[in-house]
């Protein structure tokens, strides 16, 4: 029988294309997910651990231990004197600002190292600082602020209980930018240890101590010695760089890889749909060879041999398709990683193909194919040779199998619906997620009981089309079990696609409400601070800047907010800005919140009833009006500011005027993303100085749109596989009804009518599945959004009707396309030849 199986695979290779493609896609998806998981961890290790990858040991302070000791110079001396230690790098860190253009720029200042091997970055140009008045700057910062060797930076740091520390440092070197995600995007400066100490809080201590072990010394021996020497210091860890990196990566991901979890869920969907299609496809293949298998039985082949023959065919297909899927996944992810490495910000991307990903892909694909073939293999041998053409028993509610399936399905549906409802009411996604899964499985298990009736009901629409329409409605449910299995595969894909679309639309609407409450205006542009009160440290916004902002495409209104005074709250002074009420109404999202003559508008959380605002000439006590936004600037009217004589003149760090903008309605996501850069360029400020609800909405919508596009694409694979199943179902139907189709042709049914009948069958199956999937997906999408966001805001269902109609239309067209080949095959058979068939 092995030779028979090999011969069938060789002679009927075309028949296995569909099932091979389904297995290849599903296995490739699973393997790619596992490779992405291992590669993302390797890439994080490369970036997070880049600061100490050359060290043998790393000594750090555990920030989560109460009363943990502080690493200081005494600790560094103790480490340096430990036997087996060759070199150390006592890493210091402070946070400073340097003046640039309109305001101050936040930066991280680290110290250089005597050991070039342990220094975390590479010197690209010049030499590292040798004196306390020199500094090295990372390449990205140098390019952003036009810095070069010889440039002078005015460094400032505000220290607790001390006067601000200042210094003028000359750039002596350009260094590579660290890939550490904790500091990426922040300007990175390096100077001598003494300089860093001047700008650091006295109790801060060292950030870490990197250790290089001497030649001939064992790392574990040196580690043990260091642990003994430092045993008197609480909360001090001695780790290898890999252990430190793993701990930091775990802190970033919370011990879990959410991306992998999400992709694994999609991979499971693809595998489930693939299993259904493989099973249906093998049913077609077995049906096409019924006479051949029956003949083998007649000449002595046992049932077990026939069954093994079909299973061996599935095993061969599984091995070949799974291997191809694994290779395709490795090639796809490898190509993506290679492309990422060419990008400036992703040079640390690393390809890591773990043995687990390869083995898991191969084993899963092979087992899936073999297990999915068991039912068709059993069907091929469960009857006597002369009765091989008799249809199998349907799984109806009246049979024992039907009653068992109905009972289990109803239980799962009830339990899952209850959990889903509780999760939505409590806004708990952990409860809602398993509830949604259980309820959906329950729907699928009960599908055999109601899908045929639903198809038959919808089929009445085709009755006006005459005999082909009436026959299509009847034939579509001739084999309820296979019709339900085929529609179930399509229901899974459409439900998940629709769920993501509805969930995305609902989340987008809900987030817009949250952002409206959080940000008072579409765009707010910060003018920074005039550091030290020097006139050349920053340039305030003027009316010319307002005109420049209005010239930016997408900006509708622009309002300048000058400083009108200073108020005191909870022991700290803060700037109060002035605005004309009519101007405020143009840009505030809540136009009712405008400052009047005797009021001051304050952000959310202020419990004071009145506040005293001080100006250059006088002071005034104003009633507090609290907004619902935590980002609201303290506002008074321009008339009040004029009565105060403007801001006081004794503030050394005078805040600069701010600017509020409103954007045009209906801007696309890409336009909102570009608007931030356009406004920053027009006003000559950094991108981070531009914020607001429009910017945040654009960022959120960009993420949502990308995720929706990716998810829809991934689930679209499942839909395509399911449509292959629709085509296979029609192929099997054509084989079973050869004599019937020929008899209809003999009675006057034309070839066009026969093709139309089969096309209507496909459209009915696909249409009902798409309709069920759309309803279920919309419900799951709304309840999922309610479970995820209900604790933050009111979640109202938002149905993307155009997208849902597009999904339904695509499903109908795809079902129609799936009927082309089976209908063509049926129409080509002559009535005489069909009636002569057994």
């Amino acid at each position: 029988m092995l030779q028979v199986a090999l011969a069938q695979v060789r002679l009927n290779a075309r028949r296995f294309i569909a099932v091979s493609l389904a297995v290849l896609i599903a296995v490739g998806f699973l393997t790619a997910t596992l490779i992405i998981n291992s590669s993302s961890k390797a890439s994080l290790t490369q970036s997070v651990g880049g600061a100490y990858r050359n060290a043998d040991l790393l000594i750090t302070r555990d920030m989560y231990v109460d009363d943990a000791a502080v690493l200081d110079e005494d600790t560094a001396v103790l480490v340096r004197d430990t036997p087996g230690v060759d070199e150390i790098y006592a890493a210091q860190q402070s946070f400073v600002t340097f003046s640039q253009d309109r305001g101050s720029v936040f930066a991280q200042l680290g110290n250089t190292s005597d050991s070039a091997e342990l220094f975390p970055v590479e010197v690209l140009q010049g030499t590292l600082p040798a004196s306390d008045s020199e500094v090295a700057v990372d390449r990205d910062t140098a390019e952003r602020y036009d810095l070069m060797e010889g440039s002078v930076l005015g460094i400032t740091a505000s220290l607790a209980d001390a006067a601000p520390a200042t210094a003028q440092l000359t750039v002596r070197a350009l260094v590579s930018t660290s890939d550490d995600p904790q500091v990426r995007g922040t300007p990175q400066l390096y100077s001598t240890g003494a300089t860093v100490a001047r700008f650091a809080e006295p109790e801060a201590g060292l950030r870490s101590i990197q250790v290089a072990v001497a030649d001939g010394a064992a790392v574990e021996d040196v580690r043990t010695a260091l642990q003994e020497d430092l045993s008197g210091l609480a909360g001090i860890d001695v780790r290898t760089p890999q252990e430190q990196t793993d701990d930091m990566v775990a802190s970033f991901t919370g011990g879990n890889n959410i991306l992998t979890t999400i992709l694994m869920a999609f991979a499971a969907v693809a595998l489930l749909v693939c299993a259904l299609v493989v099973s249906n496809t093998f049913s077609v293949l077995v049906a096409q060879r019924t006479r051949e298998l029956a003949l083998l039985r007649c000449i002595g082949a046992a049932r077990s041999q026939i069954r093994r023959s079909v299973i061996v065919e599935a095993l061969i297909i599984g091995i070949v398709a799974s291997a191809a899927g694994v290779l395709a996944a490795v090639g796809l992810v490898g190509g993506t990683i290679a492309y990422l490495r060419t990008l400036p910000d992703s040079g640390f991307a690393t390809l890591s193909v773990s043995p687990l990903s390869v083995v898991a892909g191969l084993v899963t694909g092979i087992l899936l194919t073999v297990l999915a073939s068991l039912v068709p293999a059993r069907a091929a041998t469960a009857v006597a040779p002369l009765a091989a053409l008799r249809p199998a028993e349907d799984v109806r509610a009246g049979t024992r199998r039907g009653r068992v399936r109905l009972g289990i399905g109803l239980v799962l549906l009830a339990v899952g619906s209850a959990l889903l409802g509780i999760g939505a009411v409590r806004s708990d996604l952990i409860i809602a997620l398993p509830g949604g899964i259980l309820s959906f499985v329950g729907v699928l298990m009960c599908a055999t009981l109601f899908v045929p009736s639903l198809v038959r009901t919808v089929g009445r629409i085709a009755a006006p089309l005459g005999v082909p329409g009436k026959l299509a409605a009847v034939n579509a449910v001739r084999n309820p079990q296979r019709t339900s299995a085929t529609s179930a595969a399509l229901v899974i894909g459409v439900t998940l696609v629709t769920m993501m679309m509805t969930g995305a639309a609902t989340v987008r609407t809900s987030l817009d409400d949250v952002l409206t409450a959080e940000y008072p205006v579409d765009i707010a542009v910060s003018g920074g601070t005039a550091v030290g009160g020097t006139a050349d440290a920053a340039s305030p916004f003027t009316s010319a800047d307002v005109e420049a902002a209005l010239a930016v495409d997408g900006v509708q209104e622009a309002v300048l907010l000058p400083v009108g005074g200073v108020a005191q709250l909870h022991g700290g002074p803060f700037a109060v800005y002035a605005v004309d009420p009519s101007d405020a109404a143009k840009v505030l999202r809540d136009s009712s919140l405008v400052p009047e003559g005797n009021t001051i508008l304050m952000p959310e959380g202020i419990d004071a009833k009145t506040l005293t605002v001080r100006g250059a000439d006088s002071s005034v006590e104003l009633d507090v009006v609290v907004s619902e936004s935590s980002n609201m600037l303290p506002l008074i009217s321009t008339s009040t500011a004029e009565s105060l004589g403007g801001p006081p003149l004794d503030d050394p760090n005078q805040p600069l005027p701010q600017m509020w903008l409103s954007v045009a309605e209906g801007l696309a996501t890409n336009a909102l993303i570009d608007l931030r850069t356009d406004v920053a360029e027009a006003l000559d400020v950094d991108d981070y100085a531009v914020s607001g609800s429009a910017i945040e909405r654009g960022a959120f919508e960009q993420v949502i749109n990308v995720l929706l596009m990716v998810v829809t694409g991934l689930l679209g694979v499942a839909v395509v596989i399911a449509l292959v199943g629709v085509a296979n179902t029609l192929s099997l139907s054509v084989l079973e009804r050869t004599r019937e189709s020929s008899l209809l042709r003999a009675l006057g049914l034309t070839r066009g009518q026969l093709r139309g009948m089969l096309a209507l069958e496909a459209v009915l199956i696909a249409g009902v599945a798409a309709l069920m999937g759309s309803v279920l997906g919309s419900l799951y999408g709304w309840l999922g959004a309610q479970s995820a966001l209900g604790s933050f805001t009111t979640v109202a269902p938002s149905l993307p009707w155009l997208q849902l109609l597009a999904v339904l239309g695509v499903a109908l067209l795809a079902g129609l396309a799936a009927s082309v080949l089976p209908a063509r095959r049926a129409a080509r058979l002559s009535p005489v030849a069909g009636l002569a068939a057994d």
Side-chain angles (χ1 to χ4, degrees):
M1 298 307 294
L2 176 61
Q3 293 180 346
V4 172
L6 292 175
Q8 286 296 334
V9 174
R10 184 176 64 255
L11 295 176
N12 302 289
R14 292 184 179 180
R15 298 178 179 177
F16 295 104
I17 292 178
V19 66
S20 299
L21 182 62
V23 174
L24 186 152
I25 294 174
V27 170
F29 198 171
L30 173 64
T31 306
T33 298
L34 296 175
I35 295 176
I36 289 173
N37 178 41
S38 59
S39 296
S40 62
K41 289 182 177 179
S43 300
L44 273 175
T45 299
Q46 188 73 8
S47 60
V48 172
Y52 39 80
R53 68 168 63 95
N54 295 325
D56 296 311
L57 293 170
L58 187 69
I59 302 170
T60 57
R61 178 175 181 260
D62 193 338
M63 302 300 296
Y64 299 101
V65 173
D66 294 336
D67 301 325
V70 176
L71 296 176
D72 52 21
E73 289 299 330
D74 293 337
T75 312
V77 172
L78 184 62
V79 171
R80 187 181 291 108
D81 294 339
T82 300
V85 172
D86 183 23
E87 293 180 321
I88 70 167
Y89 171 38
Q92 299 172 270
Q93 177 181 275
S94 63
F95 297 98
V96 299
T97 59
F98 62 89
S99 57
Q100 186 69 24
D101 295 334
R102 290 187 177 277
S104 56
V105 178
F106 180 80
Q108 176 182 276
L109 178 64
N111 64 309
T112 56
S113 171
D114 295 333
S115 172
E117 179 183 356
L118 294 178
F119 192 56
V121 292
E122 178 186 356
V123 179
L124 304 177
Q125 182 179 329
T127 57
L128 289 176
S131 71
D132 298 343
S133 62
E134 297 175 345
V135 68
V137 182
D138 74 279
R139 176 176 49 195
D140 290 352
T141 300
E143 293 176 353
R144 186 181 304 127
Y145 299 107
D146 296 326
L147 301 177
M148 60 189 70
E149 287 187 71
S151 299
V152 177
L153 292 180
I155 305 296
T156 303
S158 298
L159 304 178
D161 302 326
T166 61
Q168 298 292 318
L169 304 182
T170 302
V171 176
R172 284 288 176 251
L174 301 183
V175 297
S176 60
T177 303
S178 173
D179 290 326
D180 189 344
Q182 296 182 104
V183 299
R184 188 145 189 103
T186 301
Q188 301 155 27
L189 313 179
Y190 300 91
S191 189
T192 62
T195 301
V196 177
R198 286 180 53 196
F199 294 94
E201 298 290 349
E203 67 277 5
L206 303 175
R207 183 183 183 186
S208 66
I209 301 176
Q210 299 183 29
V211 177
V213 174
D215 293 339
V219 173
E220 283 303 319
D221 293 341
V222 176
R223 180 180 188 176
T224 302
L226 286 171
Q227 288 173 335
E228 292 177 356
D229 292 344
L230 302 175
S231 59
L233 302 178
I236 300 300
D237 296 322
V238 182
R239 297 172 172 169
T240 64
Q242 187 60 50
E243 290 172 344
Q244 179 69 14
T245 300
D246 292 342
D247 183 71
M248 293 185 68
V249 170
S251 69
F252 292 152
T253 62
N256 300 308
N257 193 320
I258 298 177
L259 174 63
T260 301
T261 303
I262 294 174
L263 290 178
M264 286 296 290
F266 291 135
V269 172
L271 291 171
L272 174 61
V273 175
C274 178
L276 292 172
V277 173
V278 169
S279 180
N280 281 347
T281 302
F282 268 94
S283 296
V284 174
L285 298 176
V286 169
Q288 289 174 332
R289 293 160 41 205
T290 299
R291 290 174 55 84
E292 174 187 327
L293 296 175
L295 180 60
L296 290 174
R297 290 288 313 282
C298 290
I299 62 176
R303 291 184 175 182
S304 59
Q305 290 178 307
I306 297 295
R307 184 181 299 112
R308 285 197 298 271
S309 173
V310 177
I311 293 175
V312 168
E313 292 178 25
L315 179 62
I316 295 172
I317 297 302
I319 292 175
V320 174
S322 298
V326 169
L327 292 176
V330 174
L332 178 62
V333 179
T336 303
I337 295 293
Y339 169 72
L340 290 176
R341 291 183 66 88
T342 63
L343 302 178
D345 294 336
S346 305
F348 55 86
T350 304
L351 176 65
S352 175
V353 183
S354 64
L356 173 63
S357 60
V358 175
V359 173
L362 289 173
V363 172
T364 301
I366 294 171
L367 286 179
L368 179 144
T369 309
V370 172
L371 292 177
S373 70
L374 291 180
V375 173
R378 182 179 181 275
T381 60
V383 295
L386 297 181
L389 296 178
R390 187 168 56 198
E393 177 190 8
D394 297 340
V395 180
R396 299 181 184 274
T399 65
R400 183 173 181 275
R401 290 176 60 195
R403 287 192 295 269
V404 171
R405 172 177 288 190
L406 175 62
I408 296 175
L410 290 176
V411 169
L412 291 178
L413 181 59
V415 173
S417 299
L419 290 176
L420 184 59
I422 293 173
V425 171
R426 295 185 177 180
S427 300
D428 192 334
L429 193 59
I430 297 178
I431 297 178
L433 183 60
I437 295 174
L438 290 178
S439 62
F440 190 49
V441 172
V443 170
L444 294 179
M445 292 191 67
C446 298
T448 306
L449 307 173
F450 60 82
V451 167
S453 299
L454 188 58
V455 173
R456 188 180 299 109
T457 301
V458 176
R460 295 174 182 173
I461 300 175
L465 298 179
V467 174
K470 294 178 181 179
L471 290 176
V474 174
N475 291 332
V477 294
R478 171 167 291 188
N479 191 321
Q481 183 178 7
R482 190 166 56 247
T483 300
S484 300
T486 302
S487 62
L490 193 54
V491 166
I492 292 173
V494 173
T495 297
L496 294 176
V497 170
T498 306
M499 179 184 71
M500 295 304 301
M501 290 179 174
T502 303
T506 302
V507 168
R508 188 179 287 113
T509 302
S510 301
L511 283 178
D512 192 49
D513 295 338
V514 172
L515 292 175
T516 299
E518 184 69 15
Y519 294 94
V521 293
D522 291 335
I523 295 179
V525 186
S526 172
T529 301
V531 181
T534 58
D536 60 348
S539 176
F541 290 139
T542 64
S543 57
D545 293 307
V546 174
E547 297 299 325
L550 287 172
V552 176
D553 289 339
V555 175
Q556 192 170 29
E557 298 286 350
V559 173
L560 185 65
L561 304 177
V563 179
V566 174
Q568 191 90 4
L569 188 65
H570 302 308
F574 58 89
V576 177
Y577 295 86
V579 65
D580 186 87
S582 61
D583 290 337
K586 295 178 182 178
V587 293
L588 281 172
R589 297 179 68 87
D590 185 355
S591 58
S592 63
L593 287 176
V594 293
E596 302 294 341
N598 61 339
T599 63
I600 177 173
L601 191 59
M602 294 294 290
E604 180 186 27
I606 302 300
D607 53 4
K609 301 299 182 183
T610 61
L611 280 176
T612 299
V613 179
R614 180 170 58 92
D617 298 337
S618 63
S619 300
V620 63
E621 186 175 1
L622 301 175
D623 295 331
V624 174
V625 176
V626 180
S627 72
E628 296 181 354
S629 170
S630 60
N631 290 285
M632 172 66 74
L633 291 175
L635 287 182
I636 59 176
S637 65
T638 52
S639 58
T640 302
E642 291 172 357
S643 68
L644 295 174
L649 304 177
D650 56 355
D651 188 357
N653 294 321
Q654 179 66 56
L656 297 178
Q658 312 290 302
M659 192 181 299
W660 278 354
L661 313 176
S662 66
V663 302
E665 293 291 336
L667 282 184
T669 301
N670 292 335
L672 290 175
I673 296 299
D674 295 338
L675 192 58
R676 181 176 199 167
T677 302
D678 295 341
V679 169
E681 290 180 354
L683 300 179
D684 194 19
V685 296
D686 291 317
D687 284 358
Y688 65 79
V690 182
S691 61
S693 62
I695 304 300
E696 296 298 325
R697 185 171 70 250
F700 279 120
E701 287 188 356
Q702 185 180 47
V703 172
I704 291 173
N705 290 342
V706 170
L707 287 176
L708 185 61
M709 180 180 64
V710 172
V711 169
T712 303
L714 297 178
L715 295 176
V717 173
V719 174
V720 170
I721 296 174
L723 290 171
V724 173
V726 174
N728 288 339
T729 297
L730 289 178
S731 297
L732 184 56
S733 178
V734 168
L735 288 173
E736 290 179 339
R737 290 154 35 201
T738 299
R739 289 174 58 86
E740 175 189 327
S741 299
S742 298
L743 180 60
L744 290 173
R745 287 289 314 284
L747 293 175
L749 198 69
T750 65
R751 289 185 176 183
Q753 289 176 316
L754 182 60
R755 286 194 294 264
M757 179 186 71
L758 294 173
L760 286 173
E761 290 183 35
V763 168
L764 284 175
I765 295 174
V768 168
L771 189 61
M772 285 181 56
S774 298
V775 173
L776 291 173
S778 298
L779 181 62
Y780 285 134
W782 169 49
L783 294 177
Q786 171 65 35
S787 303
L789 299 178
S791 59
F792 301 102
T793 183
T794 301
V795 178
S798 178
L799 296 179
W801 292 107
L802 293 179
Q803 294 179 355
L804 297 182
L805 291 175
V807 170
L808 183 60
V810 169
L812 294 176
L813 291 176
L816 185 62
S819 70
V820 172
L821 291 180
R824 182 171 177 267
R825 187 181 303 115
R828 290 178 59 184
L829 183 66
S830 67
V832 176
L835 291 172
D838 293 332

